[in-house]
Amino acid sequence: MILRRVFSITGFIAVIFFIQHLFINFFSSFWLINKAKYFISMITFYHTIIGIKYLEIVFIAIPFILHGLIGLKYMIKKRYSLKTDVFYDQQKGCVFQRITAWILLIGIALHVLQMRFINHPIKTQINNEKYFAVKVKKSDKIYKVAKKLNFKILEKKAPNKISYQKVHIMQNEDSILETNQAYALTKNSSKALLIVIINNFQSKIMVFLYTVYVIAASFHVFNGLWLFLISFKIIKTDIAKKNVLKICMGLVFLYFIFGLSAIWVNFLTML
């Protein structure tokens, strides 16, 4: 019983995080219209919160890990089930919840690996000025973004092979950066994160994977929210369960839109 309560509570924390995370990322798709100023403002505010790194560990990382580990145990043993006694086919709901859970288990791990380690902005210094450097795929598309968002593109060439192909390209003096790799340079950490997102969706593979991930996450989160409310007896009557289920399914659709907009608008504007 205690394990189940921990599972439900950590799941509810994940719901709160998912709602704000996808809502903020939705505004990254507005870079062509207003330079994504709302996205940058919200991320900047987020970074100014005192002790944010520790808060992320306590209120995001630990609950996610606990929820994932307990959920993995339930999925392997297929023990976790809730009798809801409403028109919604609970058996199918549990099947979809398990399927989306497997997708999220892999998707979240890869997402954290990509955003926190592989593509995370690098702090660097060039010509005695501090920058955040983001690995980007060199193309005419990224220069289009650079011109709109006012950041520089740097390409570190091998020794004796430095060439200037575009007005934004400049010679690198920092050994931290990889040779034969293009980087976007900005002094704003929030804009650097925006560049990471935009650059990710130059890849059709990433667009496909994130589309599947967002669809799975939206259903899992809000179907799970409904089960949480039943588990803690916040909703008790069949009528209440039916009405809340409709609201949760509406939220699934709404967050489909938020998530897919962040993916597809960024992808289509780069064509």
Side-chain angles (χ1 to χ4, degrees):
M1 179 61 73
I2 294 176
L3 202 61
R4 184 173 292 183
R5 291 303 187 205
V6 172
F7 181 65
S8 294
I9 292 170
T10 53
F12 182 70
I13 293 171
V15 170
I16 296 172
F17 174 76
F18 175 81
I19 289 173
Q20 65 86 23
H21 187 63
L22 227 63
F23 179 74
I24 291 173
N25 283 341
F26 167 69
F27 288 96
S28 70
S29 60
F30 288 81
W31 65 267
L32 197 61
I33 300 173
N34 61 11
K35 299 184 179 181
K37 64 178 181 179
Y38 297 118
F39 173 85
I40 292 174
S41 295
M42 286 185 279
I43 295 298
T44 301
F45 171 76
Y46 183 79
H47 287 163
T48 61
I49 298 174
I50 298 174
I52 187 62
K53 296 297 181 184
Y54 300 105
L55 293 174
E56 284 181 336
I57 293 171
V58 173
F59 293 106
I60 299 175
I62 292 175
F64 265 76
I65 291 170
L66 287 174
H67 190 75
L69 291 175
I70 298 170
L72 185 61
K73 176 185 175 182
Y74 286 145
M75 287 189 291
I76 292 172
K77 293 187 176 181
K78 298 182 179 179
R79 286 175 50 191
Y80 189 61
S81 182
L82 265 173
K83 292 182 180 179
T84 57
D85 299 321
V86 293
F87 71 97
Y88 181 59
D89 190 329
Q90 191 259 341
Q91 187 63 33
K92 289 182 180 178
C94 285
V95 169
F96 289 137
Q97 195 73 357
R98 288 195 183 101
I99 291 172
T100 53
W102 283 112
I103 294 172
L104 292 182
L105 198 62
I106 298 170
I108 290 173
L110 293 177
H111 179 60
V112 172
L113 180 65
Q114 181 194 37
M115 298 299 290
R116 287 289 185 177
F117 300 99
I118 297 174
N119 292 339
H120 192 71
I122 304 166
K123 290 182 180 179
T124 187
Q125 186 168 317
I126 299 171
N127 299 330
N128 296 319
E129 291 188 90
K130 294 181 180 180
Y131 290 95
F132 291 93
V134 177
K135 289 183 181 179
V136 292
K137 178 182 177 182
K138 187 184 170 187
S139 66
D140 289 338
K141 299 172 186 177
I142 203 67
Y143 284 105
K144 169 186 173 183
V145 181
K147 184 177 180 180
K148 181 68 178 179
L149 297 181
N150 191 30
F151 61 83
K152 300 174 182 179
I153 300 294
L154 171 151
E155 186 178 18
K156 184 179 181 182
K157 294 287 188 179
N160 303 321
K161 291 185 178 179
I162 296 173
S163 62
Y164 295 84
Q165 300 173 10
K166 296 279 185 178
V167 67
H168 294 292
I169 291 183
M170 44 194 291
Q171 184 177 353
N172 174 41
E173 297 176 354
D174 195 328
S175 59
I176 294 175
L177 306 182
E178 297 174 12
T179 302
N180 296 323
Q181 171 66 54
Y183 290 89
L185 298 179
T186 176
K187 295 182 179 180
N188 186 309
S189 62
S190 301
K191 186 181 289 187
L193 183 58
L194 174 64
I195 296 166
V196 171
I197 294 172
I198 295 171
N199 184 65
N200 277 349
F201 299 128
Q202 285 197 78
S203 165
K204 293 179 181 179
I205 294 175
M206 296 304 295
V207 168
F208 171 76
L209 291 176
Y210 270 91
T211 297
V212 173
Y213 173 52
V214 164
I215 291 173
S218 297
F219 176 84
H220 189 86
V221 163
F222 292 111
N223 188 62
L225 175 61
W226 182 65
L227 295 175
F228 168 85
L229 295 173
I230 294 172
S231 176
F232 277 81
K233 301 188 184 302
I234 296 172
I235 51 174
K236 299 178 181 179
T237 67
D238 286 352
I239 293 176
K241 291 173 185 176
K242 290 178 182 180
N243 289 335
V244 173
L245 177 62
K246 291 177 182 178
I247 294 171
C248 286
M249 291 302 107
L251 288 171
V252 170
F253 180 74
L254 178 63
Y255 272 79
F256 277 174
I257 295 173
F258 281 158
L260 297 182
S261 293
I263 298 166
W264 283 91
V265 172
N266 278 316
F267 172 66
L268 293 174
T269 51
M270 293 290 281
L271 292 178

